[in-house]
Amino acid sequence: MLRPLLPSFLSVVALTPVIVQPTDVLTATVTPLAPRQGETLQVSIQSSAETPPQVRFGPRTIPVFGIGAGQYRALIPTTPVLKTGGYLLTVQGATQARRIPIEVARRSFPVQRIWLPPGKSDLGTDFEFDRVDAFKALITPELFWTGPLRRPAPGRISTGYGVRRYYNGVFAEDYFHRGLDYADATGTPVRAPAAGRIALVGYEQQGFEVHGNTIGIDHGQGIASILIHLNRINVREGQFVQAGDVIGTVGNTGAFTGPHLHWGFYVLGESVDPTPWLQRGLN
């Protein structure tokens, strides 16, 4: 008896391997999901892909840095002049994406009224502003520190972050106080709030008319501190410092209303409120 022949197409099916496309693992968590103006968003990403993920916040591309095997982090600054409302955060991996809605909440900031005499509104030199802008634009691949920040000076906070101003009766739409002011006596030690590389040293006699004697610390990965109105500077450019190192003293150089330290804290060139960083730092 002859056995029936199997249909030829079944033979083809049996011999053809099933190819399964690999799916990369991609997870992303954001803190806080509902930031207030001036706060920093931290995006923690896990990915099994060989290529780093890409992050966008609205239309803006955000740098992503590796922090371990398959682990990445992105930091997103917000400011008092950022429009409140909904934004879309997109984390794009090799084969999939995560889309996370973010709601930026309004925050109430104090308002000051400043009256400037003639000529006082024109302070500042191109040399000064060019050097400060170049410092704030630094995005160094390495991260030099972790954990909570330290207070750079012991005095009380005389002017908080985000204060808005009227100048001679006109509201300054784009102005906000970009940091914390510590009221201290001239000569009070100023300490590094976190480890990093001294990337900027500027002196009043060199043309730093507004900032006065200035130190800029590159903490790495787009995070930076600028400390201004100093009396004395104890460091040089290129030097590495640790948190708590004495880098200078409080003074009254530049544009000032009395001896104090102004500490500005920047993420990707944007001034953010350093207060949450003093409490918890990077996770």
Side-chain angles (χ1 to χ4, degrees), residues 123-133 207 209:
L123 287 176
T125 65
D126 290 340
F127 171 76
E128 170 185 16
F129 295 134
D130 288 347
R131 291 211 62 201
V132 170
D133 289 346
E209 295 178 351

Side-chain angles (χ1 to χ4, degrees), residues 43-65:
V43 186
S44 301
I45 305 165
Q46 288 188 329
S47 173
S48 61
E50 294 183 0
T51 57
Q54 296 179 334
V55 173
R56 293 183 66 83
F57 181 67
R60 182 178 184 181
T61 299
I62 304 297
V64 177
F65 298 96

Side-chain angles (χ1 to χ4, degrees), residues 14-94:
L15 296 176
T16 303
V18 177
I19 300 175
V20 178
Q21 295 292 336
T23 301
D24 297 311
V25 176
L26 179 68
T27 63
T29 57
V30 182
T31 54
L33 275 174
R36 298 185 305 158
Q37 291 170 312
E39 294 182 336
T40 307
L41 287 85
Q42 180 170 288
V43 186
S44 301
I45 305 165
Q46 288 188 329
S47 173
S48 61
E50 294 183 0
T51 57
Q54 296 179 334
V55 173
R56 293 183 66 83
F57 181 67
R60 182 178 184 181
T61 299
I62 304 297
V64 177
F65 298 96
I67 58 174
Q71 295 182 318
Y72 302 89
R73 177 168 53 216
L75 298 173
I76 302 172
T78 73
T79 71
V81 295
L82 178 69
K83 183 179 178 181
T84 58
Y87 291 83
L88 183 63
L89 172 67
T90 303
V91 180
Q92 179 65 58

